[in-house]
Amino acid sequence: PCLPNRQVMWAVLCLALFTVCYAQPPSPCVSPKQWEARRFRFDRTEKFEEIAFHAYDEINMRTRSIEEIQEGVQKSYYDKLHLYATMTEYRVDLQTKKCNITKMTHPMRPVGVPHDAKFLFSSEYGPSQIPNEHLTAQTWEGKFEDNVEFVVSVAVPDCIPIMFDVQNTTSGEHFGERYYDLKTMISDPDIFRIPSECA
């Protein structure tokens, strides 16, 4: 039989290497540690939906949310400060101005792609031919240290969070969050102060 010439063999080898490299999953990216955004959250356990302004500070383990919660036709409005370093929640009912201070039962859930997350797939959104109207997202899954499962989608290359779903099969905790108009900054340095109603 005729053996392929050297040029053909090199071409086949290069094509094989390109295919292997192209098929390799991406490496986990690093998401911003401080940001603020509009958040849509749906709680599958408690059966409610929520729209909020959300400030996130992973470095200092704290979040602040100004929430509008809808349960059926009823709406409620809350200001919630979560200080995970002390596992304390400050919740102010914005209609009654009453403050409740409670101990939280779960650690902070970092919103991003941990180094041991498993890549699931990439997605393209919007028309690629129109500037600033297109993005590529990567979706990852994994488990936190307490064995709670998560799925997260981030816009690349900046690793900006878009979607975050968490499910705890032990406690029943199960929620999903979607983020819009995210800014990689905290515009108000006082946003994480304890509400005056709780002082």
Side-chain angles (χ1 to χ4, degrees):
C2 294
L3 295 176
N5 63 41
R6 188 179 298 273
Q7 287 181 333
V8 173
M9 290 180 65
W10 274 110
V12 171
L13 178 60
C14 288
L15 179 61
L17 288 174
F18 173 79
T19 303
V20 170
C21 291
Y22 185 80
Q24 288 180 342
S27 300
C29 56
V30 179
S31 292
K33 303 298 184 184
Q34 294 178 319
W35 48 265
E36 59 186 33
R38 291 191 301 145
R39 182 185 72 189
F40 174 72
R41 177 184 173 114
F42 48 96
D43 192 308
R44 295 184 174 94
T45 306
E46 302 295 333
K47 309 297 183 186
F48 69 81
E49 296 180 348
E50 165 210 296
I51 298 172
F53 166 81
H54 185 64
Y56 174 90
D57 181 1
E58 184 177 333
I59 296 172
N60 297 295
M61 300 177 61
R62 54 192 183 177
T63 65
R64 183 77 174 264
S65 302
I66 311 299
E67 304 174 351
E68 175 186 304
I69 298 176
Q70 176 130 16
E71 297 178 89
V73 296
Q74 183 176 358
K75 289 185 178 181
S76 303
Y77 302 88
Y78 294 98
D79 177 358
K80 293 181 184 177
L81 173 65
H82 291 159
L83 301 180
Y84 289 92
T86 59
M87 295 299 289
T88 306
E89 177 191 84
Y90 298 86
R91 179 188 303 212
V92 177
D93 185 321
L94 294 176
Q95 294 173 308
T96 66
K97 301 302 182 181
K98 180 181 178 181
C99 173
N100 284 325
I101 303 174
T102 58
K103 285 293 181 181
M104 295 184 290
T105 59
H106 63 79
M108 187 174 189
R109 308 288 186 205
V111 181
V113 184
H115 66 90
D116 57 350
K118 177 184 176 183
F119 175 71
L120 294 179
F121 57 84
S122 291
S123 306
E124 303 290 330
Y125 298 92
S128 58
Q129 67 275 18
I130 302 178
N132 302 319
E133 295 294 331
H134 172 266
L135 67 83
T136 300
Q138 294 177 353
T139 299
W140 301 75
E141 70 174 358
K143 291 184 178 182
F144 293 114
E145 292 181 356
D146 56 356
N147 216 35
V148 173
E149 300 172 350
F150 72 88
V151 176
V152 62
S153 291
V154 295
V156 292
D158 297 323
C159 209
I160 302 298
I162 301 172
M163 178 273 289
F164 184 55
D165 283 8
V166 172
Q167 183 171 13
N168 186 338
T169 55
T170 302
S171 69
E173 176 190 19
H174 191 190
F175 66 85
E177 297 183 345
R178 307 293 181 263
Y179 307 110
Y180 307 92
D181 301 331
L182 189 146
K183 300 175 183 177
T184 56
M185 58 178 289
I186 301 296
S187 58
D188 181 2
D190 294 328
I191 191 68
F192 298 108
R193 283 190 176 181
I194 295 173
S196 58
E197 293 87 348
C198 304

